Amino acid sequence: MDPTTDNAGKTGDPGTARDALEALRAEIAKAVVGQDPAVTGLVVALLCRGHVLLEGVPGVAKTLLVRALASALELDTKRVQFTPDLMPSDVTGSLVYDTRSAEFSFQPGPVFTNLLLADEINRTPPKTQSSLLEAMEERQVTVDGTPRTLPDPFLVAATQNPVEYEGTYPLPEAQLDRFLLKLTIPLPSRQDEIDVLTRHAEGFNPRDLHAAGVRPVAGPADLEAARAAVAKTTISPEITAYVVDICRATRESPSLTLGVSPRGATALLATARAWAWLTGRDYVIPDDVKALALPTLRHRVQLRPEAEMEGVTADSVINAILAHVPVPR
């Protein structure tokens, strides 16, 4: 597909949809340098109708990444800065009294969008954090007893800072489990950082993506066609058993107090399926499961304090399990 076409996102053909989603990487790279794994993770989440937790220190382009993705997909996006005084109604919306009609009318909140950037979600109290639970799970918001459907597609990209915990409210395990993927946004390599500074020296403005050349290369119709194709991707009984064995091994690991739930196993199967389709296959292989195991499972396990003190990480435990669980042939 030609990334410059004005008909991006209007074809609905599975083959064209895959080409369009592949073109996202090149298009987003016009604004964001060196974050291909995060772009792929966000696309996988959209294909699986899931949500993403982005973890990285300030200044690694988490917000820019989501804005660039929305521009390249012709999707609406809104950003909410989560703070200690943020109220649930500030996210979901509220009833407002209209003096002219003498009636209450619903004023939609920022959650009524396609891509919601929940910035520093762990800086707001649990009451406000939980306001997203119904939206994430049910794709609707209930205000005054009336459910209101959210747009489709709908994705929550929540960010959190991994190095600063003062004044934060860590997400409980039940809410972490609602996120399909946890993507870590690393600091750029030396060459990538040189490229970033060079772009800024040449006049790049992160607030003006149009001037940076970011154009729509896909859209909702492509996503629908892609989702339908992903649903037809074959999963053998051996692959299903492999996913189950990996998740059961986390529950038996001596380094963990909490292993992966059946919801996590379902998530791993779904993300592996989406990745298989993105790479051009209509069936899932063990390498697809391995490729998505870390981002899908790392936030669904809990380390024992003694293991954490010894420098063990969730990623290292999952990698060890992947190395020991027999791979189907």
Side-chain angles (χ1 to χ4, degrees), residues 164-211:
E164 189 177 355
Y165 294 104
E166 186 176 350
T168 63
Y169 303 84
L171 295 175
E173 285 73 21
Q175 188 158 352
L176 283 171
D177 205 34
R178 306 282 179 173
F179 287 96
L180 181 73
L181 300 171
K182 179 181 178 181
L183 304 175
T184 56
I185 310 297
L187 288 167
S189 65
R190 181 176 182 273
Q191 186 55 53
D192 283 345
E193 195 163 2
I194 290 173
D195 291 343
V196 170
L197 268 63
T198 301
R199 289 186 182 189
H200 280 266
E202 293 172 349
F204 171 70
N205 182 359
R207 296 171 185 82
D208 189 354
L209 294 178
H210 185 78

Side-chain angles (χ1 to χ4, degrees), residues 3-320:
T4 62
T5 180
D6 291 333
N7 296 318
K10 298 182 176 63
T11 60
D13 176 70
T16 306
R18 183 189 286 116
D19 293 340
L21 294 177
E22 280 294 319
L24 278 176
R25 295 183 185 180
E27 201 65 22
I28 293 173
K30 295 177 182 178
V32 182
V33 178
Q35 296 293 359
D36 278 358
V39 174
T40 301
L42 286 165
V43 172
V44 167
L46 282 168
L47 292 177
C48 297
R49 291 183 168 87
H51 308 284
V52 174
L53 186 62
L54 299 171
E55 188 171 270
V57 298
V60 289
K62 298 187 292 293
T63 301
L64 181 60
L65 175 62
V66 174
R67 289 180 54 240
L69 177 68
S71 294
L73 279 172
E74 279 192 305
L75 298 177
D76 182 42
T77 183
K78 289 186 174 70
R79 175 180 177 272
V80 179
Q81 181 66 50
F82 279 70
T83 57
D85 60 348
L86 193 74
M87 299 297 292
S89 59
D90 295 329
V91 178
T92 61
S94 59
L95 295 175
V96 178
Y97 184 72
D98 188 341
T99 55
R100 289 174 295 180
S101 63
E103 294 180 348
F104 284 95
S105 61
F106 178 66
Q107 182 67 38
V111 75
F112 286 85
T113 187
N114 297 124
L115 269 66
L116 177 67
L117 178 62
D119 214 355
E120 295 189 290
I121 191 173
N122 58 335
R123 288 205 172 276
T124 201
K127 180 179 181 179
T128 305
Q129 290 176 3
S130 65
S131 67
L132 281 175
L133 285 178
E134 182 187 13
M136 293 169 66
E137 191 69 19
E138 307 295 335
R139 310 290 164 142
Q140 67 178 26
V141 168
T142 302
V143 177
D144 197 34
T146 303
R148 293 173 170 84
T149 304
L150 294 170
D152 183 44
F154 172 68
L155 179 143
V156 174
T159 72
Q160 62 179 14
N161 182 344
V163 296
E164 189 177 355
Y165 294 104
E166 186 176 350
T168 63
Y169 303 84
L171 295 175
E173 285 73 21
Q175 188 158 352
L176 283 171
D177 205 34
R178 306 282 179 173
F179 287 96
L180 181 73
L181 300 171
K182 179 181 178 181
L183 304 175
T184 56
I185 310 297
L187 288 167
S189 65
R190 181 176 182 273
Q191 186 55 53
D192 283 345
E193 195 163 2
I194 290 173
D195 291 343
V196 170
L197 268 63
T198 301
R199 289 186 182 189
H200 280 266
E202 293 172 349
F204 171 70
N205 182 359
R207 296 171 185 82
D208 189 354
L209 294 178
H210 185 78
V214 178
R215 300 289 185 271
V217 295
D222 289 312
L223 281 176
E224 276 305 309
R227 287 169 173 175
V230 168
K232 296 176 182 177
T233 302
T234 304
I235 303 173
S236 68
E238 292 78 13
I239 293 295
T240 302
Y242 181 52
V243 170
V244 169
D245 289 343
I246 291 170
C247 294
R248 290 181 68 85
T250 65
R251 302 168 203 163
E252 300 166 1
S253 171
S255 299
L256 302 176
T257 59
L258 179 70
V260 177
S261 68
R263 191 209 309 268
T266 302
L268 181 54
L269 200 64
T271 56
R273 200 179 203 179
W275 175 246
W277 180 82
L278 277 173
T279 52
R281 277 179 283 100
D282 60 358
Y283 57 92
V284 181
I285 62 175
D287 282 348
D288 299 325
V289 177
K290 290 181 178 181
L292 272 297
L294 285 180
T296 308
L297 304 182
R298 58 164 60 109
H299 57 297
R300 304 176 193 270
V301 300
Q302 191 173 67
L303 289 167
R304 291 187 181 277
E306 54 270 29
E308 201 165 1
M309 290 176 63
E310 293 173 0
V312 176
T313 65
D315 283 13
S316 65
V317 172
I318 295 169
N319 278 327

